């Protein structure tokens, strides 16, 4: 009985899996709400919605609800009332997740709560006391991480001489030594190559080719999240390049993708169908550029 019984939390998480559109262009096709896009396009949003799904699922289980088909408005009302002491932001976030999961259109006012007011939002508007992840002193470094995918340890050590250039002299990657002394080349996102080339040239002229380009980010900054953004963007770029038959590496793919490690990653993760419709071979390329060589690491820690 236990093996065949329904688990509402698993069902809700599977619904999220089915909504994943990581790396795809947003399509806003809801006539009742032109700002509403089909699917979930952000790893961060997916993580947030999973947290809500698990909390909501626990509550539903306590109410005897076993499947999504059994969820009624009264269950959502009871769940929201159980969280009445939480902030307006939380109420709005919870309903956004529930609406996405159940394809509903509820607002906090439908359950007796106030909508979140713009005047009450302070984070990321220069008013938050510890909004350091995007502070001016870190912005240049984090922008570089988003373009290259380097780890925190490389930020304060990477030099212009580590740049990998194509035949035209454009910077398309960097040679770094990270995580146990392992060397790798990481490709620069295509849309950032001109900007990064100009940056490298400026740093070279100003301080020399062998002097680190940046100071270390402060401890409150989050380069890891910038790496996640890089992974998402790189996956979308590579997938599009493959579909269009373009060489994303400007003729020097072997400098970035080691075929032996690529084949090993494919053998280790031999599933041809991946949740969310993600492409296994593209994931293997992203994995090498991130310095992992493990498809499952990229899949579950960066793209979901």
């Amino acid at each position: 009985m236990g093996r065949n019984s329904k688990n509402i939390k698993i069902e809700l998480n599977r619904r999220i899996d089915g909504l994943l559109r990581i790396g795809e262009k947003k399509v806003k096709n809801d006539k009742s709400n032109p700002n509403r896009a089909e699917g979930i396009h952000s790893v961060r949003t997916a993580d947030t919605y999973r947290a809500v799904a698990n909390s909501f699922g626990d509550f539903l289980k306590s109410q005897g609800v076993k499947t999504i088909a059994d969820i009624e408005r009264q269950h959502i009302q009871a769940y929201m009332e159980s969280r009445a002491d939480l902030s307006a932001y939380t109420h709005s976030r919870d309903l956004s997740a529930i609406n996405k999961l159940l394809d509903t259109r509820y607002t906090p006012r439908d359950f007796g709560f106030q909508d979140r007011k713009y005047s009450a939002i302070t984070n990321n508007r220069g008013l938050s006391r510890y909004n350091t992840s995007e502070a001016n002193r870190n912005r240049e470094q984090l922008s570089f991480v988003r373009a290259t995918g380097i780890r925190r340890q490389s930020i304060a050590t990477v030099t212009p001489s580590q740049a990998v250039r194509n035949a035209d002299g454009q910077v398309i990657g960097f040679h770094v030594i990270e995580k146990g002394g392992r060397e790798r080349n990481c490709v620069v996102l295509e849309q950032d190559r001109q900007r990064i080339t100009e940056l490298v040239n400026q740093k070279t002229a100003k301080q020399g080719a062998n002097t680190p380009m940046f100071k270390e980010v402060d401890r409150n900054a989050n380069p890891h999240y910038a790496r996640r953004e890089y992974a998402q963007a790189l996956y979308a770029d590579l997938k599009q390049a493959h579909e269009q038959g373009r060489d994303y590496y400007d003729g020097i793919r072997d400098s970035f993708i080691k075929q032996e490690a690529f084949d090993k990653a494919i053998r280790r993760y031999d599933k041809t169908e991946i949740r969310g419709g993600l492409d296994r071979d593209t994931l293997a390329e992203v994995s090498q550029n991130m310095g992992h060589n493990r498809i499952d690491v990229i899949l579950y820690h960066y793209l979901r």
Side-chain angles (χ1 to χ4, degrees):
M1 176 179 175
R3 178 171 296 181
N4 296 322
S5 62
K6 298 291 184 180
N7 186 319
I8 188 66
K9 289 176 65 175
I10 292 177
E11 198 172 355
L12 289 170
N13 274 277
R14 285 175 177 168
R15 177 65 64 88
I16 292 175
D17 291 337
L19 289 169
L20 291 177
R21 302 290 186 275
I22 307 300
E24 297 182 17
K25 183 178 179 181
K26 285 188 177 181
V27 177
K28 298 180 180 179
N29 54 5
D30 187 339
K31 294 181 179 180
S32 66
N33 182 359
N35 293 318
R36 190 173 191 268
E38 177 64 29
I40 300 172
H41 296 259
S42 162
V43 171
R44 193 173 192 177
T45 299
D47 289 344
T48 298
Y49 284 5
R50 285 191 196 280
V52 175
N54 289 329
S55 172
F56 187 41
D58 285 335
F59 178 84
L60 292 171
K61 287 171 68 175
S62 73
Q63 302 299 303
V65 179
K66 295 183 177 180
T67 70
I68 288 179
D70 294 332
I71 301 174
E72 298 180 358
R73 188 186 192 281
Q74 67 192 49
H75 298 124
I76 302 173
Q77 173 87 43
Y79 176 70
M80 295 302 296
E81 289 176 352
S82 74
R83 298 168 70 78
D85 292 338
L86 301 179
S87 68
Y89 167 83
T90 301
H91 299 152
S92 178
R93 181 205 64 190
D94 288 354
L95 276 177
S96 291
I98 290 171
N99 284 333
K100 183 69 75 171
L101 287 165
L102 305 182
D103 195 24
T104 51
R105 302 291 186 277
Y106 295 121
T107 69
R109 288 183 180 274
D110 292 329
F111 301 103
F113 300 105
Q114 293 295 313
D115 289 323
R116 190 183 182 205
K117 294 182 179 180
Y118 180 80
S119 59
I121 303 173
T122 59
N123 190 35
N124 295 327
R125 288 168 56 197
L127 303 177
S128 178
R129 181 180 178 187
Y130 293 113
N131 182 25
T132 59
S133 63
E134 289 298 324
N136 287 332
R137 63 183 174 276
N138 299 316
R139 190 162 293 164
E140 187 179 42
Q141 292 98 314
L142 294 181
S143 177
F144 188 81
V145 174
R146 291 188 188 97
T148 63
I150 64 171
R151 290 184 170 92
R152 175 187 283 270
Q153 70 192 79
S154 291
I155 293 174
T157 63
V158 66
T159 67
S161 65
Q162 293 171 240
V164 178
R165 297 178 185 260
N166 63 12
D168 297 324
Q170 186 179 60
V171 175
I172 67 166
F174 282 86
H175 177 78
V176 293
I177 302 174
E178 298 178 334
K179 207 167 186 180
R182 291 198 295 268
E183 299 184 36
R184 68 183 177 94
N185 286 347
C186 52
V187 72
V188 174
L189 295 177
E190 201 167 42
Q191 62 267 30
D192 292 316
R193 290 177 186 175
Q194 185 58 40
R195 175 177 65 85
I196 295 299
T197 299
E198 293 173 358
L199 175 67
V200 170
N201 291 343
Q202 290 169 4
K203 296 288 186 180
T204 301
K206 183 178 180 179
Q207 57 200 42
N210 296 310
T211 301
M213 294 193 290
F214 308 108
K215 294 181 179 179
E216 186 176 3
V217 293
D218 69 49
R219 63 185 179 85
N220 291 309
N222 190 1
H224 184 73
Y225 183 69
R227 268 172 52 85
R228 293 180 72 179
E229 293 179 310
Y230 168 83
Q232 293 175 50
L234 180 59
Y235 176 86
D237 278 6
L238 287 171
K239 191 167 185 291
Q240 183 181 65
H242 294 161
E243 292 170 350
Q244 296 175 348
R246 292 190 296 107
D247 179 6
Y248 196 76
Y249 303 95
D250 287 358
I252 53 174
R253 182 180 185 273
D254 290 345
S255 295
F256 296 93
I257 304 301
K258 305 304 180 186
Q259 195 61 42
E260 182 179 352
F262 180 88
D263 293 341
K264 183 178 180 181
I266 295 296
R267 289 195 303 271
R268 182 180 289 170
Y269 195 88
D270 60 358
K271 299 177 183 177
T272 55
E273 293 187 8
I274 301 174
R275 290 178 181 177
L278 298 175
D279 179 72
R280 182 189 59 182
D281 289 10
T282 305
L283 288 170
E285 285 192 58
V286 174
S287 178
Q288 278 209 39
N289 279 291
M290 295 285 289
H292 281 294
N293 293 321
R294 289 278 301 273
I295 290 176
D296 54 346
V297 172
I298 297 300
L299 181 61
Y300 293 105
H301 294 278
Y302 291 92
L303 295 185
R304 288 195 173 181

